[in-house]
């Protein structure tokens, strides 16, 4: 159950996913206010509600509205222009929860005047269907209650984890933030290979999607290590073993994924430095 008042700044894909998740977890629409320059038309239908207040500018926020949480879900390139308008809430005891990609806590504190309790979160796109993975980092000014409400809000769209060192957020971005794209690429490759092997495109697409979705569901339900799950479906000398001889070769998946994640992490460090 989500309680308290929330000011959501930005209601694009991620903001809309969060809003939908909060409503599904019991948030009363009258307790949230949205600031979205594009207006109500940009709020996803699944997250819209007749009682939801949607404003187009921070100047329209009523003077008597004091939120418990201000959530920033804007694009990184507009953060410098957008965020300072909300610094006035820093002394009210509110927590600022940011899902702005690449925006470090020190920068948020600078934009908010240095008095703010800030929590930074890195979710990923499966949050759109309530299956996201969010990693959170709290500033020294964020107390237990701030951390608790931030965890509840991000937990409404999937799993959560905390890190104590913000520098780890670059690796988090490389593994889980960018990770869905790696999985989609695998599905794409499996589908195309299936077509090349003689399958109709529609069937190849169905097989790739269902296999990846089912494997993910199995990993969620079964805490057995991934390596053991792989071994369990690999019979010596069988078809899976023949495929894995290729995928696990010297230039195979593990090496490529390692290089890919290193590249993504390095790019993240460059963007946030």
């Amino acid at each position: 159950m989500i309680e308290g008042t929330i000011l959501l700044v930005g209601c694009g894909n991620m903001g809309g996913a969060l809003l939908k998740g909060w409503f599904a977890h019991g948030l009363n629409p009258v307790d949230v206010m949205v600031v979205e320059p594009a207006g109500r038309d940009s709020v996803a239908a699944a997250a819209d509600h007749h009682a939801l207040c949607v404003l187009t500018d921070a100047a329209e926020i009523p003077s008597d509205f004091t939120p418990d949480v201000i959530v920033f879900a804007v694009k990184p390139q507009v953060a410098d222009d957008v965020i300072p308008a909300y610094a006035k809430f820093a002394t009210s005891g509110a927590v600022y929860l940011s899902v702005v990609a690449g925006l470090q806590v020190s920068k948020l504190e600078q934009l908010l005047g240095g008095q703010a309790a800030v929590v930074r979160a890195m979710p990923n796109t499966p949050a759109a269907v309530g299956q996201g993975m969010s990693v959170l980092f709290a500033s020294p000014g964020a107390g237990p209650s701030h951390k608790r409400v931030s965890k509840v809000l991000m937990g409404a769209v999937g799993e959560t984890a905390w890190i104590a060192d913000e520098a780890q957020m670059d690796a988090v971005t490389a593994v889980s933030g960018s990770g869905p794209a790696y999985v989609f690429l695998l599905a794409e490759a499996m589908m195309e290979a299936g077509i090349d092997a003689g399958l109709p495109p529609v069937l190849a697409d169905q097989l790739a999607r269902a296999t990846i979705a089912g494997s993910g569901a199995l990993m969620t339900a079964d805490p057995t290590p991934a390596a053991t799950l792989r071994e369990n479906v690999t019979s010596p000398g069988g078809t899976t073993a023949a495929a894995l001889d290729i995928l696990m070769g010297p230039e195979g998946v593990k090496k490529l994924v390692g290089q890919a994640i290193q590249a993504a992490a390095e790019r993240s460090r460059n963007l946030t430095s």
Side-chain angles (χ1 to χ4, degrees), residues 136-170:
L136 300 92
F137 171 78
S139 71
S145 63
H146 298 137
K147 295 178 184 178
R148 183 165 54 251
V149 69
S150 298
K151 177 179 173 65
V152 169
L153 292 179
M154 298 310 299
V157 294
E159 295 187 39
T160 62
W162 289 90
I163 54 175
D165 181 1
E166 190 178 11
Q168 294 177 344
M169 200 63 86
D170 297 314

Side-chain angles (χ1 to χ4, degrees), residues 12 32 155 158 225 243:
V32 60

Side-chain angles (χ1 to χ4, degrees), residues 2-266:
I2 295 177
E3 299 177 340
T5 54
I6 300 172
L7 178 60
L8 174 62
V9 184
C11 200
N13 292 334
M14 186 54 66
L18 289 170
L19 197 58
K20 178 183 175 182
W22 299 339
F23 288 162
H25 283 71
L27 178 67
N28 190 330
V30 302
D31 290 331
V32 60
M33 189 174 293
V34 174
V35 178
E36 171 52 59
R40 184 178 291 274
D41 289 344
S42 71
V43 177
D48 199 2
H49 191 282
H50 67 87
L52 180 66
C53 178
V54 180
L55 310 175
T56 59
D57 190 87
E60 300 173 17
I61 299 172
S63 59
D64 60 349
F65 180 71
T66 303
D68 297 307
V69 187
I70 301 94
V71 181
F72 294 124
V74 299
K75 295 184 183 302
Q77 57 266 33
V78 304
D80 284 10
D81 295 326
V82 170
I83 289 176
Y86 301 89
K88 62 183 179 181
F89 299 113
T91 59
S92 68
V95 60
Y96 293 90
L97 173 60
S98 171
V99 297
V100 182
L103 194 60
Q104 295 180 333
V105 162
S106 59
K107 179 64 173 179
L108 282 161
E109 291 175 329
Q110 176 187 337
L111 293 172
L112 294 167
Q115 302 295 319
V118 174
V119 173
R120 177 186 175 189
M122 180 69 221
N124 59 12
T125 55
V129 291
Q131 297 293 318
M133 179 68 228
S134 299
V135 176
L136 300 92
F137 171 78
S139 71
S145 63
H146 298 137
K147 295 178 184 178
R148 183 165 54 251
V149 69
S150 298
K151 177 179 173 65
V152 169
L153 292 179
M154 298 310 299
V157 294
E159 295 187 39
T160 62
W162 289 90
I163 54 175
D165 181 1
E166 190 178 11
Q168 294 177 344
M169 200 63 86
D170 297 314
V172 168
T173 299
V175 175
S176 64
S178 299
Y182 316 153
V183 178
F184 301 149
L185 176 61
L186 174 61
E188 181 184 353
M190 290 174 65
M191 179 191 71
E192 292 177 355
I195 294 171
D196 290 343
L199 294 175
V202 172
L203 178 58
D205 181 57
Q206 180 184 9
L207 294 180
R209 287 173 181 265
T211 299
I212 288 175
S215 300
L218 176 59
M219 290 189 71
T220 298
D222 188 341
T224 301
T228 303
L229 291 174
R230 169 179 56 77
E231 292 166 358
N232 290 345
V233 296
T234 307
S235 300
T239 58
T240 306
L244 289 178
D245 283 344
I246 303 297
L247 293 174
M248 298 180 68
E251 301 300 319
V253 168
K254 287 189 175 181
K255 180 177 181 179
L256 289 174
V257 170
Q259 291 175 340
I261 287 178
Q262 288 179 9
E266 181 63 25

